[in-house]
Amino acid sequence: MADWQIDLIKVVFIWVWALLIAVVMTWVERRASAMMQDRLGPNRAGPFGLFQPLADGIKLFTKEDIIPEKARKILFVLGPPLFALPAFSAYAVVPFGDKIVLGGKEIILQVSDVNIGFLYVLALGAIGVYGMVIGGWASNSKYSILGGLRATAQLISYEVPMGLALLTIVLLYGTFSLREMVLLQQGTFLGFLPNWGIFKQPLGFIIFLVAAYAEANRVPFDLPECESELVTGYHTEYGSMRLGLYLFGEYVNLGTLAAITVSLFFGGWALPYVDMSKFLGPVAYGIASFTVFFLKQAFFLFLFVWVRWTVPRFRYDQLMGLGWKALIPLGLVNLFVTALLVQLTI
Amino acid sequence: MAKEIETVCVTTGPAEVGDYVALNIGPIHPAMHGTLRVITRTDGETIISAEPEIGYLHRGVEKLGENLTYRQFLPLTDRLNYCSAICNNVAYELAVEKALGIEVPEKAQLLRIIMMELARIADHQVLVGILGVDLGALTPFFYLIIQREEIYEIFEWHHGARLTNSMGTIGGVEAELPDRFHEKWPKMRDSIRKANDETDRLLTHNRIWMDRTIGVNAFCADDALNWGFTGPMLRACGVKRDLRKDEPYLMYDKFDFEVPTGKHGDVFDRYMIRMLEMEESIKIIDQAYAMYQDMPDDAPLMKKVPKIIKPPEGQIYHAIESPNGELGFFIKSDGTDKPYRIKIRPPCYMVYQAFGELVQGEMISDLIACLSSINVIAGELDR
């Protein structure tokens, strides 16, 4: 196989995989929330209601596509894809496994190991915000605009602590490539802890996790949507598959954020203490590393659901206060201390 | 906060309020409890002024009362505060009985008390659940609403209806406690307590919950009294007034229960008072149930009342402590079988008057929290 063919297969595989995770997540969200709330959840379509997302997809596709008369038509149409596409694209640099040997060819399980993979992820996260803001503004509705404004303020403020938390990781590993970062997390730390980012950067991890929830618009940071105040916020005026893209993009976003968390702080595809490549064949190793990565990702995806159904939501000013008064100073201190330690140890 | 905004208005001139963005919340809005409408002027997220508009659920209940006999009016009272319909029924029955000058037998009084306190628990459960939903915590809502369904089960056994109960009649109650109540109640009491406990653990000391509720639209006791607040809203401001204690009706003076009060009149105090009152209601039901069991089986449930009720000419007013506060019925009788005038004093009407003042200077999120915490029921407000 030529290199471009392998790349194409990887692209299609990861694209389908990202879609599948998002689809299954909509089901998990409902079933898990039902479990937590003494309900049954959707259980009619297929076994355990597993086909419910499919039914929803069909429903959204067949609904009438309404563009409000006073909306800015081009921007209104542009909003949803602008929100959903960056979320998909961010998967391109996620190392979802180590490597697999097929037909005597060593294939790295990552669509593209670019040396600035890390900045690419941050940049795409920032583009996703435009989808919300443009959608909210183009709808020409007050609730949508309020949602869009909240999204702008929230996502821009939380990008800063997220960036600060991630910078410490860059300082620690001295690279921008996600694959290299995962490779540097093998082995143990202080003799007994896995050499994971979370143990070297506990504060950085907490800041990152909080900022990730804000970036993903999840409770307690779901202010741009906030169904009890702003109807449904920035996508109030959307219907049919345009609305579907917004909802769907959110879940793809969750998948991306969970994948980044795993790669940066939880050793990516590697198991702690055990080197799987020693006793597994080249093909089995590839599959095993992918499975380990997926299980770790699944845990963080479930954490998103778990938190959502447990806590209330912040108020707008409290959210900004937490970002600017707590997370950013903490992030700066963390960055300073890390920089100092890295400088002293080199 | 309110002071600051006043000065802003003075320097720029009062007409400038109209320059702020008008945001129309309701009458159809996911967070509005029924058909309520608030027209707000907002500066960003801050509310400059909020003007409630009422009347979207006006059905002319009071006028209808003038053309119906005393007995026919009873089912209409269900539709006032549909979260605790039994309290409305009993309030009306008590008012007519007062006009007739009769007192119902003790067993009927105990039955009314048990049912009213169950309705109070159901009402408070809805309020606490909805307050959680409006602040983004959906889970406690389900824990509480499942318990409310259990309470409705008892209502259904007793008088056949779940939501619009029409319980009892003028002169007494039609049926004894259902047999199934005797084994149901001890189990249900525990499950209600468990649900309340779970809600308490999920919300009360949650940092986000405290930030969202403590100090949010706090109200002082003097203002509350001047606006005519009653019930939990007034008690949250620190005024210990409960008609069950202060002006006892039925047999409430024979029961031992506390009247919880708050301090600041903020959303948190209103929430806390409701949580504590549910526990007090359970205590009252326990005592009333014990007294009920001591009664002989053949004790009367009904007082002899003439088929066609014709209270003597005159005016009477009787109020009870409904879950929301003082619920009063004013009846003017001209000696015929239909009232000359019926006037209802719903508790949330007085509270809703102050809504503009309550939320001024707060944020949009607080407006929603305030609306849930004062428990405005459109059916009762507009009548």
Side-chain angles (χ1 to χ4, degrees), chain A residues 36-39 142-143 146 150 219-220 227-231 309-318, chain B residues 22 24-25 29-31 45 134-136 138-139 142-143 146 206 208 211-212 216 363-366 368:
Chain A
M36 291 171 202
Q37 296 168 346
D38 272 3
R39 297 184 287 125
K142 281 171 190 164
Y143 289 117
L146 271 175
R150 282 179 176 189
V219 171
E227 77 282 348
S228 66
E229 291 157 27
L230 303 182
V231 193
W309 301 106
T310 309
V311 293
R313 105 169 41 86
F314 279 108
R315 198 171 63 206
Y316 179 67
D317 57 326
Q318 290 162 352
Chain B
N24 179 41
I25 306 177
H29 184 278
E45 294 255 335
D134 282 351
L135 297 188
L138 194 62
T139 305
F142 287 97
Y143 297 159
I146 288 167
N206 185 323
I208 302 174
D211 283 347
R212 282 300 305 275
V216 172
M363 304 186 97
I364 292 174
S365 315
D366 296 332
I368 303 294

Side-chain angles (χ1 to χ4, degrees), chain A residues 205-225:
Chain A
F205 170 67
I206 291 168
I207 296 169
F208 174 80
L209 197 69
V210 175
Y213 275 77
E215 288 281 299
N217 275 325
R218 298 287 286 185
V219 171
F221 302 103
D222 69 334
L223 290 159
E225 267 177 55

